[in-house]
Amino acid sequence: MGLDDSRGRSAGLPSAKVETVSLAALDNNQVNEADKLFQACCTHGFFYLDFHSHSTAFETAVNDIYRLERELFDLPDAELMPFDIDVLSPRQKLNGDGFQSYALPKDNLRRIPSLNDFPRPRLVDKYLESLHSFTQSIAKASSSILSSLSDSLGLPPASNLTWLHNTHLPSLDLVRLLKYHAQPPTEEGSSLVPHTDLGSLTFLFTLQPGLQILNPQTKTWEAVTPPKHNTIAIVNIGDCMKMLTRGSFRSSKHRVIAAPRQGMSERYSFAYLLRPDEHAVLRAVESPSMPVAERMDPDEPVMTTGEWLQRKFQTLRRETWNEERDWILMGGA
């Protein structure tokens, strides 16, 4: 069942019906939990993942990352900006709206051998152990989810989705810290341009309202109830997973915005962004559970993960709107 939708309900908006999946039950191969996960990925593409019985170390790591981002975003821009690993930075706000973003590379947080150390504000060093523990836990959870979904799709072992997401090797995965500025009731507009996520899975941690998803059936915005506990993540399917499953798994449009006439207090969240290996080809795996592939256009290029990410990032940073930008923002929908 989903969370109590009376918490964080946005006035004037229906609450999204998001199911809760237990990681412990998934790890124990409980069939009903695997079915719940599969159906969630096929309908909204969103679900809550309960890490509650995972470990006390995980809860400690989550609390530490909340502390890290509050301290980090209090740093002067001049101290923070030189260390951001991509162009999205506190000085750049997508679509002119008010939020700050800071990214940390998974590869260094996982301490993958042969990698050079990464430049960072000295503050981050205080939390490196917690960040390492957090990324390890997410890697294990990702493997459980991808293995379960592969079984539900009837994929042979050689096509298991985990093969495209080897978290022990260098990848484009990130831990992204986010701070949304307070929005008064008189100010309307999204704090984050409506979009789909570009990777495979997003693990979002927040205890505050503001996230909304577009119901794919009714085409109306629905409010996502914030989790009751900090060891429950909001997980959503991204564009790469949609491509790999030929649209069987839904990469849903979402945004962060204040409820009508309510405004929004200062909002903190952070996310682990799981992507396929950089050179993985985003061609659908063969499964009896997916629609039969249409004949491919021989002139249509097949993108790798790296190429898709570059294309979507470039689109997000544009200031002009056109049909191509809309197509890319919505994951090729």
Side-chain angles (χ1 to χ4, degrees):
M1 61 183 295
L3 299 182
D4 175 12
D5 66 3
S6 64
R7 275 191 80 250
R9 179 183 291 166
S10 295
L13 283 180
S15 295
K17 293 179 173 60
V18 181
E19 291 288 344
T20 299
V21 175
S22 165
L23 181 57
L26 211 57
D27 287 340
N28 289 328
N29 299 313
Q30 294 187 14
V31 175
N32 61 331
E33 213 68 17
D35 289 344
K36 192 193 301 183
L37 170 66
F38 183 73
Q39 290 304 318
C41 293
C42 292
T43 52
H44 282 78
F46 273 78
F47 58 94
Y48 299 106
L49 184 67
D50 188 354
F51 288 83
H52 194 58
S53 60
H54 194 57
S55 71
T56 55
F58 181 74
E59 183 174 0
T60 299
V62 169
N63 287 334
D64 281 349
I65 297 173
Y66 275 124
R67 280 191 283 270
L68 164 62
E69 63 178 349
R70 287 180 179 272
E71 294 177 30
L72 192 74
F73 289 124
D74 280 342
L75 293 176
D77 283 355
E79 186 175 346
L80 180 59
M81 282 187 61
F83 300 101
D84 202 5
I85 68 169
D86 59 22
V87 180
L88 285 174
S89 72
R91 287 193 187 278
Q92 289 191 305
K93 301 175 177 64
L94 303 184
N95 210 28
D97 292 314
F99 73 95
Q100 293 174 277
S101 169
Y102 188 82
L104 295 161
K106 176 273 298 182
D107 292 350
N108 295 99
L109 301 181
R110 286 294 308 276
R111 302 171 186 162
I112 292 177
S114 78
L115 288 179
N116 294 326
D117 200 11
F118 71 109
R120 57 191 178 270
R122 284 178 296 176
L123 170 66
V124 174
D125 290 352
K126 186 168 69 170
Y127 295 98
L128 281 178
E129 286 300 323
S130 291
L131 288 163
H132 175 68
S133 175
F134 172 76
T135 54
Q136 283 186 308
S137 294
I138 295 296
K140 293 175 183 176
S142 300
S143 180
S144 295
I145 291 169
L146 295 173
S147 294
S148 177
L149 292 175
S150 296
D151 290 343
S152 296
L153 288 168
L155 300 181
S159 298
N160 193 294
L161 293 168
T162 57
W163 288 111
L164 296 173
H165 303 80
N166 191 335
T167 58
H168 298 288
L169 297 177
S171 72
L172 300 172
D173 294 6
L174 296 174
V175 174
R176 186 172 291 287
L177 312 179
L178 291 158
K179 174 186 176 181
Y180 297 88
H181 301 298
Q183 187 173 320
T186 54
E187 181 181 317
E188 294 187 1
S190 175
S191 293
L192 187 61
V193 60
H195 66 289
T196 57
D197 286 352
L198 51 78
S200 294
L201 295 171
T202 297
F203 295 79
L204 176 70
F205 292 82
T206 185
L207 297 173
Q208 297 171 267
L211 178 63
Q212 297 176 8
I213 60 177
L214 188 68
N215 187 304
Q217 281 76 45
T218 65
K219 306 301 180 185
T220 57
W221 287 104
E222 297 178 344
V224 177
T225 303
K228 298 178 182 178
H229 196 273
N230 61 2
T231 57
I232 299 176
I234 303 170
V235 183
N236 65 277
I237 294 293
D239 301 338
C240 289
M241 191 69 78
K242 171 186 171 182
M243 295 177 193
L244 291 171
T245 61
R246 202 175 293 116
S248 293
F249 293 163
R250 191 175 292 277
S251 179
S252 286
K253 185 176 178 181
H254 53 281
R255 64 185 182 182
V256 173
I257 188 172
R261 300 175 300 281
Q262 281 193 354
M264 184 170 68
S265 60
E266 193 173 70
R267 182 181 188 272
Y268 289 89
S269 65
F270 62 92
Y272 185 99
L273 311 177
L274 179 75
R275 287 107 180 238
D277 300 339
E278 182 176 3
H279 301 292
V281 177
L282 298 177
R283 180 183 288 119
V285 293
E286 294 301 322
S287 163
S289 301
M290 296 191 305
V292 177
E294 298 178 4
R295 184 180 178 184
M296 291 186 62
D297 183 346
D299 297 324
E300 183 179 351
V302 178
M303 288 181 289
T304 63
T305 302
E307 290 167 342
W308 172 246
L309 264 61
Q310 183 180 28
R311 189 176 183 187
K312 188 141 183 173
F313 273 138
Q314 290 172 344
T315 301
L316 283 167
R317 292 165 186 151
R318 291 181 195 165
E319 294 184 358
T320 58
W321 195 277
N322 56 38
E323 288 186 3
E324 182 193 16
R325 182 185 186 212
D326 189 58
W327 184 85
I328 295 172
L329 281 174
M330 298 309 116

